[in-house]
mmCIF file of all heavy atoms in Angstrom:
data_model
loop_
_atom_site.group_PDB
_atom_site.id
_atom_site.type_symbol
_atom_site.label_atom_id
_atom_site.label_comp_id
_atom_site.label_asym_id
_atom_site.label_seq_id
_atom_site.Cartn_x
_atom_site.Cartn_y
_atom_site.Cartn_z
ATOM 1 N N ARG A 304 -12.185 25.074 38.544
ATOM 2 C CA ARG A 304 -13.499 25.468 37.948
ATOM 3 C C ARG A 304 -14.556 24.506 38.375
ATOM 4 O O ARG A 304 -14.778 23.495 37.751
ATOM 5 C CB ARG A 304 -13.325 25.523 36.430
ATOM 6 C CG ARG A 304 -12.474 26.588 35.862
ATOM 7 C CD ARG A 304 -12.407 26.558 34.370
ATOM 8 N NE ARG A 304 -11.926 27.738 33.753
ATOM 9 C CZ ARG A 304 -10.722 27.932 33.269
ATOM 10 N NH1 ARG A 304 -9.885 26.975 33.274
ATOM 11 N NH2 ARG A 304 -10.395 29.069 32.670
ATOM 12 N N ARG A 340 -13.216 27.985 42.972
ATOM 13 C CA ARG A 340 -14.166 28.958 42.470
ATOM 14 C C ARG A 340 -15.559 28.403 42.551
ATOM 15 O O ARG A 340 -15.828 27.322 42.144
ATOM 16 C CB ARG A 340 -13.864 29.302 41.043
ATOM 17 C CG ARG A 340 -14.781 30.368 40.453
ATOM 18 C CD ARG A 340 -14.374 30.820 39.090
ATOM 19 N NE ARG A 340 -14.690 29.849 38.067
ATOM 20 C CZ ARG A 340 -14.367 30.002 36.786
ATOM 21 N NH1 ARG A 340 -13.599 31.105 36.459
ATOM 22 N NH2 ARG A 340 -14.643 29.127 35.924
ATOM 23 N N ASP A 343 -19.556 28.764 38.252
ATOM 24 C CA ASP A 343 -19.548 29.808 37.177
ATOM 25 C C ASP A 343 -20.418 29.244 36.037
ATOM 26 O O ASP A 343 -19.833 28.760 35.062
ATOM 27 C CB ASP A 343 -18.129 30.066 36.758
ATOM 28 C CG ASP A 343 -18.061 31.216 35.725
ATOM 29 O OD1 ASP A 343 -19.132 31.821 35.479
ATOM 30 O OD2 ASP A 343 -16.977 31.543 35.251
ATOM 31 N N LYS A 348 -23.288 28.318 29.187
ATOM 32 C CA LYS A 348 -22.900 27.121 29.872
ATOM 33 C C LYS A 348 -24.139 26.553 30.631
ATOM 34 O O LYS A 348 -24.006 26.411 31.860
ATOM 35 C CB LYS A 348 -21.733 27.358 30.917
ATOM 36 C CG LYS A 348 -20.401 27.432 30.300
ATOM 37 C CD LYS A 348 -19.347 27.255 31.462
ATOM 38 C CE LYS A 348 -18.490 28.539 31.500
ATOM 39 N NZ LYS A 348 -17.675 28.541 32.753
ATOM 40 N N ARG A 366 -25.366 34.870 35.080
ATOM 41 C CA ARG A 366 -24.225 34.006 35.169
ATOM 42 C C ARG A 366 -23.587 33.959 36.583
ATOM 43 O O ARG A 366 -23.893 34.876 37.352
ATOM 44 C CB ARG A 366 -23.093 34.606 34.229
ATOM 45 C CG ARG A 366 -23.189 34.351 32.811
ATOM 46 C CD ARG A 366 -21.868 34.761 32.163
ATOM 47 N NE ARG A 366 -20.755 34.063 32.718
ATOM 48 C CZ ARG A 366 -19.466 34.262 32.340
ATOM 49 N NH1 ARG A 366 -19.214 35.070 31.338
ATOM 50 N NH2 ARG A 366 -18.560 33.544 32.876
ATOM 51 N N PRO A 399 -16.886 34.215 41.265
ATOM 52 C CA PRO A 399 -16.717 34.640 39.919
ATOM 53 C C PRO A 399 -17.623 35.823 39.465
ATOM 54 O O PRO A 399 -18.779 35.931 39.999
ATOM 55 C CB PRO A 399 -17.112 33.428 39.020
ATOM 56 C CG PRO A 399 -17.989 32.618 39.915
ATOM 57 C CD PRO A 399 -17.659 32.948 41.355
ATOM 58 N N MET A 400 -17.201 36.650 38.615
ATOM 59 C CA MET A 400 -17.893 37.723 37.897
ATOM 60 C C MET A 400 -18.728 38.625 38.763
ATOM 61 O O MET A 400 -19.864 38.852 38.517
ATOM 62 C CB MET A 400 -18.856 37.048 36.881
ATOM 63 C CG MET A 400 -18.714 37.751 35.561
ATOM 64 S SD MET A 400 -19.864 37.182 34.373
ATOM 65 C CE MET A 400 -21.187 38.341 34.415
ATOM 66 N N MET A 437 -13.304 37.407 41.630
ATOM 67 C CA MET A 437 -12.688 37.454 40.281
ATOM 68 C C MET A 437 -12.936 38.851 39.688
ATOM 69 O O MET A 437 -14.042 39.379 39.801
ATOM 70 C CB MET A 437 -13.169 36.401 39.390
ATOM 71 C CG MET A 437 -12.620 35.061 39.771
ATOM 72 S SD MET A 437 -12.839 33.884 38.438
ATOM 73 C CE MET A 437 -11.634 34.276 37.244
ATOM 74 N N GLU A 439 -13.376 40.348 36.473
ATOM 75 C CA GLU A 439 -13.622 39.899 35.072
ATOM 76 C C GLU A 439 -14.381 40.814 34.231
ATOM 77 O O GLU A 439 -14.588 40.659 33.042
ATOM 78 C CB GLU A 439 -14.393 38.527 35.148
ATOM 79 C CG GLU A 439 -13.659 37.369 35.752
ATOM 80 C CD GLU A 439 -14.441 36.112 35.719
ATOM 81 O OE1 GLU A 439 -15.365 35.930 36.591
ATOM 82 O OE2 GLU A 439 -14.163 35.253 34.945
ATOM 83 N N GLY A 460 -9.529 37.519 35.943
ATOM 84 C CA GLY A 460 -9.913 36.519 34.871
ATOM 85 C C GLY A 460 -9.744 37.283 33.536
ATOM 86 O O GLY A 460 -10.746 37.886 33.052
ATOM 87 N N THR A 461 -8.660 37.173 32.941
ATOM 88 C CA THR A 461 -8.388 37.938 31.667
ATOM 89 C C THR A 461 -9.249 37.417 30.575
ATOM 90 O O THR A 461 -9.555 38.244 29.664
ATOM 91 C CB THR A 461 -6.930 38.002 31.287
ATOM 92 O OG1 THR A 461 -6.442 36.654 31.279
ATOM 93 C CG2 THR A 461 -6.015 38.780 32.264
ATOM 94 N N ASN A 462 -9.613 36.202 30.553
ATOM 95 C CA ASN A 462 -10.428 35.698 29.372
ATOM 96 C C ASN A 462 -11.700 36.508 29.294
ATOM 97 O O ASN A 462 -12.070 36.926 28.206
ATOM 98 C CB ASN A 462 -10.810 34.277 29.614
ATOM 99 C CG ASN A 462 -9.602 33.355 29.798
ATOM 100 O OD1 ASN A 462 -8.470 33.745 29.453
ATOM 101 N ND2 ASN A 462 -9.804 32.172 30.328
ATOM 102 N N ASP A 463 -12.394 36.659 30.467
ATOM 103 C CA ASP A 463 -13.624 37.433 30.401
ATOM 104 C C ASP A 463 -13.320 38.975 30.405
ATOM 105 O O ASP A 463 -14.065 39.739 29.816
ATOM 106 C CB ASP A 463 -14.546 37.095 31.590
ATOM 107 C CG ASP A 463 -15.308 35.814 31.242
ATOM 108 O OD1 ASP A 463 -15.918 35.741 30.212
ATOM 109 O OD2 ASP A 463 -15.428 34.947 32.117
ATOM 110 N N LEU A 464 -12.309 39.351 31.162
ATOM 111 C CA LEU A 464 -12.022 40.803 31.237
ATOM 112 C C LEU A 464 -11.808 41.405 29.827
ATOM 113 O O LEU A 464 -12.339 42.495 29.506
ATOM 114 C CB LEU A 464 -10.851 41.065 32.112
ATOM 115 C CG LEU A 464 -10.543 42.569 32.465
ATOM 116 C CD1 LEU A 464 -11.698 43.194 33.068
ATOM 117 C CD2 LEU A 464 -9.323 42.703 33.245
ATOM 118 N N TYR A 467 -15.255 41.567 27.938
ATOM 119 C CA TYR A 467 -16.104 42.552 28.375
ATOM 120 C C TYR A 467 -15.607 43.979 28.161
ATOM 121 O O TYR A 467 -16.283 44.967 27.937
ATOM 122 C CB TYR A 467 -16.547 42.433 29.844
ATOM 123 C CG TYR A 467 -17.396 41.125 30.143
ATOM 124 C CD1 TYR A 467 -17.040 40.211 30.997
ATOM 125 C CD2 TYR A 467 -18.626 41.017 29.423
ATOM 126 C CE1 TYR A 467 -17.789 39.048 31.142
ATOM 127 C CE2 TYR A 467 -19.349 39.907 29.591
ATOM 128 C CZ TYR A 467 -18.953 38.943 30.483
ATOM 129 O OH TYR A 467 -19.776 37.752 30.660
ATOM 130 N N ARG A 473 -15.586 36.064 23.418
ATOM 131 C CA ARG A 473 -14.387 35.317 23.367
ATOM 132 C C ARG A 473 -14.499 34.040 22.598
ATOM 133 O O ARG A 473 -13.478 33.394 22.251
ATOM 134 C CB ARG A 473 -13.950 35.021 24.842
ATOM 135 C CG ARG A 473 -14.893 34.194 25.570
ATOM 136 C CD ARG A 473 -14.585 34.134 27.112
ATOM 137 N NE ARG A 473 -14.028 32.892 27.535
ATOM 138 C CZ ARG A 473 -13.847 32.542 28.833
ATOM 139 N NH1 ARG A 473 -14.246 33.390 29.770
ATOM 140 N NH2 ARG A 473 -13.299 31.406 29.202
ATOM 141 N N CYS A 510 -5.597 34.462 36.434
ATOM 142 C CA CYS A 510 -5.838 33.069 36.126
ATOM 143 C C CYS A 510 -6.434 32.940 34.751
ATOM 144 O O CYS A 510 -6.913 31.825 34.397
ATOM 145 C CB CYS A 510 -6.750 32.513 37.160
ATOM 146 S SG CYS A 510 -8.344 33.312 37.199
HETATM 147 MG MG1 LIG B 3 -14.283 33.883 33.492
#
Side-chain angles (χ1 to χ4, degrees):
R304 292 181 162 105
R340 179 172 77 184
D343 185 3
K348 276 199 243 166
R366 281 192 56 182
M400 227 188 100
M437 288 195 74
E439 295 181 283
T461 51
N462 303 341
D463 276 317
L464 186 60
Y467 293 123
R473 65 192 253 193
C510 64

